[in-house]
Amino acid sequence: GRRMQSSRLGPSPPRLLTEEEYQLQGKVETHRALEELRSFCQSPSFSAWNTVSRIQSPKRFAEFVGGASHVTPNEVSVHEREFGLESIFINEQLFEEDEEEEEEEEEMGNSDSF
């Protein structure tokens, strides 16, 4: 009876990734996709002139196709400030303050009704 029951429920949900697995998968997949893009841009079927005429920084694009990083050191710094550990710490503090204020407001509202 249990086999019939489990088959009716459908497949079990996929295992969720840990934070480390998620970060690693993001790095691996980003690297793979950038290499695939770089390879396509170097292929004979790629219209370099058409593309270069439409982008803001042709020199940077050419450097990327040649193997340079897709982000500048300044972009990395800005990203770290906005989304890195420092940002996470600041956001946690802000959210804790918001939660405390909401709890105080709820307590004040509840005491007024008695």
Side-chain angles (χ1 to χ4, degrees):
R2 288 187 182 185
R3 285 187 187 168
M4 294 290 262
Q5 199 174 30
S6 65
S7 65
R8 279 188 236 150
L9 296 175
S12 60
R15 182 182 69 82
L16 299 176
L17 299 176
T18 65
E19 182 68 26
E20 293 80 24
E21 290 171 327
Y22 176 78
Q23 294 291 331
L24 179 61
Q25 183 178 7
K27 287 178 183 178
V28 168
E29 290 300 316
T30 299
H31 180 75
R32 184 194 58 74
L34 288 170
E35 287 304 315
E36 188 177 304
L37 175 61
R38 203 173 265 127
S39 177
F40 173 74
C41 292
Q42 293 172 347
S43 72
S45 63
F46 177 71
S47 175
W49 287 113
N50 190 21
T51 302
V52 168
S53 69
R54 293 185 286 158
I55 60 176
Q56 291 180 345
S57 181
K59 183 176 187 268
R60 183 172 171 189
F61 176 72
E63 290 169 350
F64 164 76
V65 172
S69 177
H70 65 290
V71 291
T72 65
N74 185 50
E75 290 169 335
V76 171
S77 176
V78 168
H79 183 271
E80 284 299 315
R81 264 197 318 270
E82 291 183 14
F83 303 104
L85 292 176
E86 184 176 312
S87 171
I88 292 169
F89 176 73
I90 291 169
N91 283 335
E92 284 178 354
Q93 286 184 327
L94 290 174
F95 286 123
E96 284 176 10
E97 290 174 10
D98 289 346
E99 289 172 2
E100 289 172 5
E101 289 174 7
E102 287 174 7
E103 288 173 3
E104 288 174 7
E105 289 173 5
E106 286 176 8
E107 289 174 8
M108 300 268 300
N110 290 341
S111 64
D112 291 343
S113 62
F114 291 106

